[in-house]
Amino acid sequence: MMYQAFLIKYAEIGIKGKNRHLFEDALVHHIVRALKRVDGTFDVTREMGRIYVRTDGDFDYEGAIEALKTVFGIAGISPVLIIENMDYDNVKAQVAEFVRTVYPEGTPRTFKVVARRPNKKYPHDSMELNADLGEAVLLGCPWMKVDVHNPDVVLSVEVRQSIYVYSETIPGPGGMPVGSNGSAELLLSGGIDSPVAGYMIAKRGVKIDAVYFHAPPYTSERAKQKVVDLAKLVARYAGQIRLHIVNFTDIQMAIYEKCPHEELTIIMRRYMMRIAEIFAGQDGALGLITGESIGQVASQTAQSLLCTNAVCTLPVYRPLIGFDKQEIVDRAQQIGTFDTSILPYEDCCTIFVAKHPVTHPILKVIEHSEHKLDDVIEPLMKEAIETTETIVVDGEE
């Protein structure tokens, strides 16, 4: 194969000094993690402000590209030819061969050479490289023409300890490396929205763990496995996730028996947030994440969200708050969670749904209704927390 490495590009805006080193350390860690599931041998190195993924022998090229596309912090991926023998005639011949292989004779193409010379010891400067390598391409590939203003191909040549040649940049996911911006606790369900919300917050560099509320026998083991599978899909991007599976049945039943049915969803949601905060404290999380979007369902009106937020002491991150449903679906399809989310296994949120849920709840009224639980809720909360099953989910699985 022509390519021997990948040049990893990332946004450098605002990343300086120590922060840049921390950013790069985290990025290298997640690149190594992602490539573990790809056939081949890879060595991730840093060289003069660049990150390279070097390969050794045969490797799964397409698999490597797809794995790198799951690493937040990568803005672009450039497949690279490495020229170790830096004799000038050899470099010119190798560059011409690169173009001949990647852009074979057929449709005429225009190009220009853009050379950079961080290694100032190399005897030929950028202007010489641009001119001489351009001439070598014209001689070796007569179907190629020079266009310095609007070329079809930009042939990048970087002179470092070796010479790196590339002409393509495949878009990465962008964002920031996971773990570079603290941590948060995701309220994960089997629906479409919450996995997307977790993905979007992780993209900003936030390490995530998750809480899932299970309600046997009203929800099946298949519903639980569906959520585990969604956590695995999110973990391909977000890295290892602690998933807390809370048995919520007895709390739901108490709410159902003692509280007004039109308020069931709001009160249930408030207790979920309370429990999620407890696990956030255990996990060292700095906030909660939900997949809520204003007005999407009765429990997500502005008034409902106010009532939900009232029980929280941590900030609640709602990255989908202004999204239409189709926008969320599109993002779920893009990241690969949609097909799992629509599997027909009900989770606990859909079992105890009121026929006519309140859409404009009043906080004082909701708090008054919750007092009806005072004689039972504390031991139920304690039991739910103590019997929680915690599993570690890894995207490499």
Side-chain angles (χ1 to χ4, degrees):
M1 181 178 288
M2 173 67 66
Y3 298 118
Q4 301 153 294
F6 299 101
L7 167 61
I8 304 301
K9 299 180 178 180
Y10 55 89
E12 298 182 23
I13 297 174
I15 305 172
K16 298 179 181 178
K18 182 179 178 181
N19 287 337
R20 177 166 177 155
H21 288 295
L22 292 173
F23 183 101
E24 289 180 346
D25 285 345
L27 190 53
V28 167
H29 170 79
H30 289 293
I31 290 170
V32 171
R33 173 187 61 80
L35 289 172
K36 284 182 179 178
R37 56 180 182 262
V38 181
D39 290 336
T41 301
F42 304 94
D43 182 30
V44 185
T45 61
R46 284 184 287 186
E47 182 181 327
M48 299 171 67
R50 288 285 194 267
I51 295 176
Y52 291 99
V53 177
R54 293 173 176 265
T55 63
D56 184 14
D58 293 334
F59 68 100
D60 181 356
Y61 174 82
E62 295 296 335
I65 293 290
E66 290 306 309
L68 292 170
K69 285 181 177 179
T70 68
V71 179
F72 293 134
I74 294 180
I77 307 154
S78 292
V80 171
L81 167 70
I82 303 175
I83 302 175
E84 303 285 0
N85 179 356
M86 296 170 68
D87 174 79
Y88 205 39
D89 288 335
N90 179 66
V91 172
K92 289 187 282 187
Q94 292 271 10
V95 168
E97 178 63 23
F98 174 88
V99 174
R100 204 163 30 245
T101 302
V102 179
Y103 305 101
E105 185 172 4
T107 305
R109 295 176 184 268
T110 59
F111 79 100
K112 74 172 180 179
V113 177
V114 177
R116 297 176 70 248
R117 190 184 59 143
N119 181 358
K120 301 304 181 186
K121 294 182 180 179
Y122 196 65
H124 306 280
D125 64 21
S126 297
M127 295 298 291
E128 287 181 86
L129 287 161
N130 288 339
D132 293 345
L133 296 179
E135 180 183 36
V137 171
L138 288 172
L139 292 173
C141 311
W143 58 91
M144 302 289 286
K145 304 297 179 185
V146 172
D147 182 348
V148 297
H149 299 294
N150 189 31
D152 298 322
V153 177
V154 176
L155 186 63
S156 296
V157 179
E158 296 191 5
V159 181
R160 297 175 179 274
Q161 301 309 310
S162 302
I163 292 179
Y164 299 87
V165 182
Y166 59 95
S167 61
E168 178 186 13
T169 298
I170 301 161
M176 303 183 74
V178 172
S180 62
N181 258 330
S183 62
E185 202 81 17
L186 171 66
L187 279 80
L188 181 63
S189 74
I192 298 170
D193 305 338
S194 59
V196 175
Y199 165 93
M200 292 180 66
I201 294 296
K203 184 178 179 181
R204 299 309 307 152
V206 178
K207 169 75 175 69
I208 65 173
D209 291 305
V211 181
Y212 163 57
F213 294 92
H214 191 44
Y218 302 101
T219 53
S220 67
E221 284 300 306
R222 287 186 297 181
K224 172 182 167 182
Q225 186 59 47
K226 172 184 171 180
V227 174
V228 173
D229 291 341
L230 285 170
K232 290 179 181 179
L233 292 171
V234 175
R236 288 177 67 86
Y237 301 91
Q240 197 173 82
I241 295 173
R242 278 181 298 237
L243 175 61
H244 306 289
I245 301 169
V246 180
N247 187 336
F248 201 60
T249 308
D250 291 343
I251 293 174
Q252 278 191 295
M253 290 301 301
I255 295 169
Y256 186 82
E257 292 169 0
K258 292 178 175 290
C259 298
H261 281 197
E262 66 273 15
E263 298 171 0
L264 288 178
T265 304
I266 295 295
I267 295 174
M268 178 184 70
R269 191 73 177 168
R270 281 161 60 90
Y271 277 101
M272 287 181 172
M273 300 296 265
R274 289 178 172 109
I275 292 173
E277 278 210 343
I278 291 170
F279 286 106
Q282 293 180 8
D283 293 336
L286 305 176
L288 304 180
I289 308 166
T290 76
E292 293 161 315
S293 169
I294 287 181
Q296 187 165 243
V297 293
S299 64
Q300 296 177 23
T301 62
Q303 294 88 343
S304 296
L305 294 176
L306 182 148
C307 290
T308 302
N309 264 34
V311 302
C312 299
T313 59
L314 292 175
V316 182
Y317 306 123
R318 296 182 170 97
L320 310 182
I321 198 69
F323 278 42
D324 294 334
K325 189 65 178 184
Q326 188 57 50
E327 292 176 296
I328 301 171
V329 167
D330 291 345
R331 186 62 64 90
Q333 291 173 328
Q334 173 196 332
I335 67 175
T337 57
F338 179 76
D339 289 343
T340 302
S341 290
I342 62 173
L343 292 174
Y345 309 131
E346 302 287 356
D347 65 27
C348 67
C349 297
T350 58
I351 299 298
F352 297 92
V353 176
K355 291 182 179 179
H356 304 288
V358 60
T359 57
H360 295 78
I362 298 170
L363 180 58
K364 287 185 178 180
V365 173
I366 297 297
E367 290 173 339
H368 176 76
S369 297
E370 283 187 351
H371 283 309
K372 298 175 182 179
L373 298 166
D374 286 348
D375 59 335
V376 297
I377 196 64
E378 188 174 331
L380 293 179
M381 290 272 287
K382 185 174 184 292
E383 182 179 4
I385 292 162
E386 289 179 350
T387 60
T388 291
E389 175 189 4
T390 299
I391 62 175
V392 177
V393 173
D394 199 312
E396 295 173 20
E397 296 174 14

